[in-house]
Amino acid sequence: MKNLQLFLVLLTLSFAGLSAAQQKNDIKITVKDKKGKHDVPSQKEKLPHFIQFGIMSKNHENFRSKYKTDVVYENCVISPTLSQQAKENNRALAKNLTAQYGDAWKKDLGIIPYGL
């Protein structure tokens, strides 16, 4: 009997903890740059983005503001699935930018996106 009561109490506490954890939807992203660490709000504007792999990254602020398109750098490890997703994403985005702006965006970006 005591084991059953203990089990029910633990089960109740588990569900209470799960429901409390699910109610908090805020995501806090911490970014480290030359000025130090700072938090980026999760409601930041979501832009279409090229996916790049590797440890090097470049500042694409001018490109981001001019074309409303971002570049996201992932780590060096590339799985076949991630590779395919990045290629498809980058090709579709490149096609869209070329239709809107011609080939000028390629010079402004300064890199060749993965899969192009």
Side-chain angles (χ1 to χ4, degrees):
M1 186 69 168
K2 288 183 183 181
N3 288 339
L4 180 61
Q5 289 176 342
L6 180 61
F7 175 74
L8 291 175
V9 169
L10 290 175
L11 186 65
T12 305
L13 291 175
S14 298
F15 282 117
L18 286 174
S19 65
Q22 291 176 353
Q23 292 175 355
K24 185 160 177 83
N25 292 330
D26 294 339
I27 298 171
K28 186 183 274 191
I29 302 169
T30 302
V31 177
K32 185 176 179 182
D33 59 10
K34 293 178 182 176
K35 298 176 185 175
K37 290 184 178 181
H38 62 280
D39 292 332
V40 177
S42 62
Q43 289 79 22
K44 184 179 178 183
E45 181 182 358
K46 305 251 182 198
L47 296 174
H49 58 273
F50 286 109
I51 301 170
Q52 288 293 101
F53 297 100
I55 57 173
M56 285 188 58
S57 64
K58 183 178 176 184
N59 184 354
H60 299 285
E61 192 67 39
N62 292 336
F63 184 82
R64 184 180 306 118
S65 62
K66 184 174 182 179
Y67 297 101
K68 302 294 184 233
T69 302
D70 204 356
V71 179
V72 173
Y73 287 91
E74 300 288 337
N75 64 26
C76 299
V77 179
I78 307 170
S79 71
T81 305
L82 286 176
S83 176
Q84 187 62 33
Q85 288 174 348
K87 285 178 188 177
E88 290 173 4
N89 175 73
N90 291 352
R91 288 176 183 162
L93 193 51
K95 183 178 179 181
N96 187 28
L97 287 173
T98 301
Q100 287 182 344
Y101 302 104
D103 287 335
W105 69 268
K106 293 177 183 178
K107 182 180 176 188
D108 292 340
L109 182 57
I111 61 170
I112 299 173
Y114 181 79
L116 298 185

